[in-house]
Amino acid sequence: MSNGPYGKITCDCGAVSLLVSGSPLALGQDTKGARVAFWPLDAVQIGQGADELDVSPDDRGGDTWACRRCDECLLHAHDEADFAVMAGHPEDTADLAPELSSSRQRRL
């Protein structure tokens, strides 16, 4: 984790939080049109609630990280591609990451 810019995402119940540092690799939208950010896996760190974090395989070829208490999904991790997809569009880094084209998002 660097000392540069960072962001924090917390589940609805507050039991689990994740920290991300630096800038996202890219910004895009999920299949429902919600804004997402693509982060390198090594930029993600558990801030609190490691014992409440459930990491389980998903149908996308990666893992889903969710809170055991409120069942909120915090991110989708793809070990092979070495990135994580998180909900949201970090406003302070929007100028630093390229937008992903629809065809590139489908490949990821």
Side-chain angles (χ1 to χ4, degrees):
M1 186 68 59
S2 77
N3 290 331
Y6 75 94
K8 180 178 178 181
I9 184 171
T10 304
C11 68
D12 286 335
C13 72
V16 178
S17 68
L18 302 176
L19 304 174
V20 291
S21 65
S23 299
L25 298 169
L27 304 173
Q29 294 182 341
D30 67 11
T31 57
K32 297 179 183 177
R35 298 175 352 159
V36 297
F38 295 80
W39 293 89
L41 273 178
D42 61 2
V44 179
Q45 178 179 343
I46 299 171
Q48 71 179 26
D51 55 334
E52 295 295 335
L53 184 65
D54 177 51
V55 178
S56 56
D58 63 21
D59 58 357
R60 300 174 190 175
D63 294 317
T64 297
W65 295 20
C67 175
R68 292 182 201 276
R69 289 187 191 179
C70 66
D71 203 33
E72 181 182 2
C73 175
L74 297 167
L75 68 80
H76 295 282
H78 297 269
D79 291 331
E80 191 173 310
D82 199 32
F83 72 89
V85 182
M86 289 185 168
H89 234 229
E91 297 300 328
D92 57 343
T93 58
D95 299 9
L96 302 176
E99 292 284 339
L100 281 181
S101 66
S102 296
S103 62
R104 190 158 184 215
Q105 287 182 50
R106 282 190 293 273
R107 282 194 306 239
L108 295 175

